[in-house]
């Protein structure tokens, strides 16, 4: 046991060196696509073989793929290598988060099935070209809240030297240029019952616009269709890259008043619609919005056990009642693997307001998608553990979400978000005009 922890510690500092190495090494963009992936991660696996080498990722969809049935798994025949439970978690503690350990201790039905690891992430060739071309020009702002220098690249910082650079890679990551997704989320009651909250998200990223505004990340239109208490509500978001220069602009349409109003409350720690207060606006997507209210620290890289390649979670044959349990989601459906992640720590700035005083964030080194977040309350005690179920979306050529879940240890409840099993397939690469994402068009859509 002591040898295992010592080995993990040594590996941690070795991997951390990949992050905090010399500026000359970090700036050698000729390494992209050679010994490094096109987005800057080491192609090589680890010495133990638990993290494999990257061999190009998924290049095409498996035979028989039909988005109407979900994302068929290329690893459907694999069995767990081992299962972590409350009785044996100490053996794997170095690769688990505080949230995982609390879940294992608290809920007897919570377990972590660990499968062989596969580095499935891949991007379109055009993205590889854009990263190599634009990354040398990317420059972080003085306060770290924004950056300049890229136009098409979804990875502005392939050699991130700070938490802020990892953060911007995370919020800018490739998701098909545009997507149109219908998803469902809901708070789960103590007895496992829930009321679905359905929403349609239409997103247009600036990389898919010919002449985008200077500081734009994306436009977003969200339409709520259920339950009846929120059906007909619309939210429009103009998301900037640097929110210390320009705050998120948001508008909301209320069918009761039939009015479109500015909605400055849509952000940071205001409650996420449909979550019954169990998630914040910036909990959505694992983490989103401006980093400005926290001090961010890049701890380094670690090999951690995280949800990955959750193809089974997208199965359209599953009902939400198959996924949701009284205390946790059905852990037999969740696949975990060992991957290298960036570990970020965020501490609330003095004088800043947020219900969380601290966050520990794991970001996948390949996709830059959030894998797990531990959120702490004002007393510094673990409050919520947030898991994101990564899946490779063949029709997007990107790593996407099969859904996510936030466990609230104080409330003894949890909220599920972004499930699509009972909804139509997401559409990636849909053509949108920027004029679609305006307050005037909100009124037309609401009619």
């Amino acid at each position: 046991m002591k040898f295992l922890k010592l080995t993990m510690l040594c590996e941690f500092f070795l991997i951390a060196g990949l992050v905090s190495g010399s500026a000359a090494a970090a700036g050698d963009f000729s390494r992209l696509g050679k010994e490094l992936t096109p987005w800057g991660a080491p192609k090589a696996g680890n010495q133990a073989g638990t993290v494999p080498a990257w061999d190009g990722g998924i290049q095409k969809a498996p035979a028989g793929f039909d988005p109407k049935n979900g994302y068929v798994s290329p690893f459907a025949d694999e069995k767990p290598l081992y299962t972590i439970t409350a009785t044996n978690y100490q053996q794997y503690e170095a690769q688990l988060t505080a949230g995982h350990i609390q879940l294992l201790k608290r809920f007897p039905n919570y377990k972590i099935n660990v499968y062989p690891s596969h580095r499935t992430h891949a991007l379109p060739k055009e993205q590889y070209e854009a990263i190599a071309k634009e990354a040398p020009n990317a420059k972080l702002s003085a306060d770290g809240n924004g950056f300049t220098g890229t136009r098409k690249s979804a990875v502005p910082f392939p050699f991130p030297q700070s938490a802020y650079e990892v953060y911007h890679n995370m919020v800018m990551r490739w998701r098909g240029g545009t997507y149109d997704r219908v998803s469902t989320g809901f708070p789960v009651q103590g007895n496992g019952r829930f009321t679905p909250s359905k929403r349609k998200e239409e997103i247009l990223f600036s990389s898919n616009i010919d002449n985008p505004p200077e500081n734009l990340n994306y436009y977003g239109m969200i339409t709520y269709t259920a339950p009846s208490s929120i059906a007909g509500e619309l939210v429009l978001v103009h998301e900037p890259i640097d929110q210390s220069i320009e705050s998120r602009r948001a508008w909301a349409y209320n069918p009761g008043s039939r009015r479109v109003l500015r909605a400055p409350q849509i952000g940071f720690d205001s409650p996420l619609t449909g979550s019954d207060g169990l998630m914040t606006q910036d909990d959505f997507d694992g983490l989103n919005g401006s980093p400005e209210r926290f001090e961010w620290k890049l701890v380094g890289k670690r090999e951690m056990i995280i949800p990955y390649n959750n193809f089974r979670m997208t199965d359209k044959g599953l009902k939400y009642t198959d996924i949701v349990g009284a205390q946790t989601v059905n852990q037999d459906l969740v696949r975990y693997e060992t991957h290298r992640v960036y570990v970020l720590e965020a501490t609330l700035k003095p004088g800043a307001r947020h219900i969380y005083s601290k966050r520990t964030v794991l970001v996948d080194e390949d996709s830059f998608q959030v894998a797990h977040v531990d959120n702490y309350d004002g007393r510094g005690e673990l409050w919520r553990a947030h898991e994101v179920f990564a899946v490779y979306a063949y029709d997007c050529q990107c790593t996407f979400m099969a859904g996510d879940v936030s466990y609230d240890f104080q409330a003894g409840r949890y909220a599920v978000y972004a499930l699509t099993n009972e909804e139509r397939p997401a559409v990636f690469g849909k053509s949108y005009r920027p004029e679609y994402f305006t307050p005037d068009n909100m009124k037309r859509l609401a009619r």
Side-chain angles (χ1 to χ4, degrees), residues 82-273:
Y82 55 92
T83 298
I84 304 174
T85 67
T87 61
N88 69 352
Y89 77 87
Q90 293 91 345
Q91 300 176 47
Y92 311 98
E93 195 167 356
Q95 293 182 286
L96 299 174
T97 68
H100 284 143
I101 293 170
Q102 180 68 8
L103 286 162
L104 288 164
K105 288 180 176 179
R106 187 158 180 169
F107 303 118
N109 60 333
Y110 187 86
K111 59 184 177 181
I112 297 176
N113 291 319
V114 183
Y115 290 78
S117 300
H118 300 277
R119 294 175 67 184
T120 48
H121 182 67
L123 295 172
K125 179 183 177 182
E126 293 77 15
Q127 267 302 304
Y128 297 159
E129 295 170 350
I131 294 167
K133 178 181 179 181
E134 297 184 355
N137 302 317
K139 184 178 180 180
L140 198 66
S141 64
D143 59 8
N145 291 323
F147 68 93
T148 58
T150 68
R151 168 68 182 81
K152 294 289 187 182
S153 168
V155 184
F157 301 103
F159 305 105
Q161 299 294 294
S162 72
Y164 291 97
E165 291 180 344
V166 175
Y167 192 100
H168 292 303
N169 286 349
M170 181 267 295
V171 297
M172 300 296 293
R173 69 190 187 279
W174 178 252
R175 281 160 282 181
T178 73
Y179 70 83
D180 172 358
R181 174 179 67 169
V182 176
S183 67
T184 296
F186 38 80
V188 181
Q189 306 303 322
N191 58 7
R193 294 183 180 178
F194 57 87
T195 299
S197 174
K198 296 182 184 291
R199 54 188 269 162
K200 178 182 180 181
E201 304 157 29
E202 297 174 279
I203 308 295
L204 170 61
F205 291 92
S206 62
S207 60
N208 217 47
I209 303 173
D210 289 336
N211 295 294
E214 184 69 22
N215 194 33
L216 178 71
N217 181 1
Y218 65 80
Y219 295 125
M221 185 78 76
I222 297 94
T223 304
Y224 291 92
T225 60
S228 58
S229 58
I230 60 173
E233 291 184 10
L234 282 81
V235 172
L236 170 65
V237 171
H238 290 184
E239 185 80 350
I241 294 172
D242 187 342
Q243 297 198 26
S244 63
I245 296 175
E246 176 188 9
S247 297
R248 170 185 285 169
R249 291 193 291 163
W251 296 261
Y253 171 82
N254 185 293
S257 64
R258 296 188 179 181
R259 297 177 64 190
V260 172
L261 299 173
R262 288 295 297 267
Q265 75 279 7
I266 296 176
F268 296 109
D269 60 351
S270 60
L272 183 62
T273 303

Side-chain angles (χ1 to χ4, degrees), residues 34 41 44 46 95 101 123 129 146 186 188 311 331 341 350 363 410 439:
K34 296 178 181 176
N46 66 357
Q95 293 182 286
I101 293 170
L123 295 172
E129 295 170 350
F186 38 80
V188 181
F311 296 97
Q331 287 296 105
V341 298
V363 179
Q410 295 177 9

